Amino acid sequence: MVSNLMPKSDFGYKVHGDPFSTNTRRVLAVLLEKGLSYEPITVDLKTGEHKSEAFLSLNPFGQVPVFEDGNVKLCAITQYIAYVHSTRGTQLLNFQSHKTMATLTMWMEIEAHQFDPLASILTWEQVIKPIYGLETDHAVVEENEGSLEKVLDVYEKRLGESRFLACNTFTLVDLHHLPNIQYLLGSSMEKMLENRPKVRMWVDEITGREACKMVCDQEMSWYGISG
């Protein structure tokens, strides 16, 4: 298969995170879309390494990932990478006018405040808890599924007007949805897509991107390709 990603360039970036973390995966997806290499530094969430003194010196809130660009250390990362490398790889920020910028910003806020909290709970309950040997709370799943379906109804309408959420091209808005969607496919999200053909088409398109496939392959994205 011929890659549609740019050849890698090394800017000395470091990513402190966990390849199973949805937030870490967002950062890796942006780096891959831009054709940027990075040094992966694993933070062991199971042992609480993210609450250690060493890690708190990087991010006092004790959350992954942390991105290092020389002396710059960031925990809000994807927009920084997309802006610094705006002319490289996939154009992820559609700032052609004040209107397109406002629309993209609005949909990023919608993802952060309407989609992500619900999808993250479902990912935790249905995917992550079983990995840790914990029992899924089905009442919590049912409650959040109902709320997420209402959000997807809004998405269905929007995607009838636009190929992607912010505009007719793939942007950070769509990319930010990828980690939770990838985890939830095969579980509760599949039935939510049955009667929402526009959302189904959008999900298939964004999860079919090469960067998404590479991020979802743990050995390739964290331990192989990044080297």
Side-chain angles (χ1 to χ4, degrees):
M1 180 179 67
V2 177
S3 174
N4 59 12
L5 297 178
M6 293 193 69
K8 293 267 183 166
S9 288
D10 188 359
F11 289 83
Y13 295 144
K14 297 179 181 180
V15 179
H16 302 256
D18 183 314
F20 292 97
S21 152
T22 55
N23 288 331
T24 301
R25 286 185 171 201
R26 287 188 186 99
V27 173
L28 302 188
V30 174
L31 289 167
L32 288 166
E33 290 282 357
K34 292 294 185 180
L36 299 168
S37 62
Y38 58 92
E39 178 186 348
I41 302 173
T42 302
V43 180
D44 193 337
L45 302 181
K46 289 184 179 181
T47 63
E49 186 179 353
H50 56 305
K51 302 300 182 182
S52 68
E53 184 176 345
F55 186 79
L56 291 174
S57 68
L58 296 173
N59 181 359
F61 295 104
Q63 297 174 324
V64 295
V66 169
F67 181 76
E68 287 193 77
D69 177 8
N71 293 327
V72 176
K73 297 177 177 62
L74 300 170
C75 55
I77 304 162
T78 58
Q79 291 186 66
Y80 174 81
I81 298 170
Y83 181 79
V84 170
H85 298 282
S86 60
T87 61
R88 180 183 178 84
T90 306
Q91 176 55 262
L92 297 171
L93 295 173
N94 184 14
F95 287 174
Q96 296 176 0
S97 71
H98 64 281
K99 291 182 179 179
T100 58
M101 179 183 70
T103 301
L104 186 143
T105 302
M106 178 185 74
W107 279 100
M108 288 186 69
E109 291 294 314
I110 291 171
E111 187 280 331
H113 299 291
Q114 302 297 328
F115 178 88
D116 185 68
L118 303 170
S120 293
I121 290 172
L122 292 172
T123 296
W124 168 251
E125 290 290 343
Q126 297 179 302
V127 181
I128 306 301
K129 269 190 171 182
I131 293 175
Y132 285 90
L134 303 173
E135 185 176 348
T136 296
D137 188 328
H138 294 287
V140 169
V141 169
E142 184 176 355
E143 177 185 354
N144 284 276
E145 281 180 344
S147 298
L148 184 56
E149 289 200 75
K150 294 178 182 178
V151 174
L152 294 180
D153 285 339
V154 176
Y155 281 29
E156 181 71 12
K157 183 176 185 300
R158 170 59 177 169
L159 291 166
E161 304 164 349
S162 177
R163 180 178 172 186
F164 297 96
L165 286 173
C167 57
N168 283 318
T169 59
F170 180 82
T171 67
L172 274 185
V173 173
D174 309 291
L175 184 148
H176 280 189
H177 287 78
L178 280 170
N180 277 315
I181 286 178
Q182 192 277 332
Y183 272 132
L184 291 173
L185 285 176
S187 62
S188 60
M189 179 156 280
E190 285 291 348
K191 66 180 181 182
M192 296 184 198
L193 300 179
E194 289 177 1
N195 298 316
R196 297 176 177 87
K198 300 297 184 183
V199 177
R200 170 86 265 180
M201 187 181 305
W202 169 72
V203 166
D204 289 344
E205 185 162 5
I206 66 174
T207 57
R209 296 183 68 83
E210 189 171 350
C212 176
K213 295 175 182 178
M214 293 165 71
V215 166
C216 293
D217 187 321
Q218 303 306 313
E219 292 183 358
M220 288 179 68
S221 65
W222 194 251
Y223 303 109
I225 285 178
S226 59

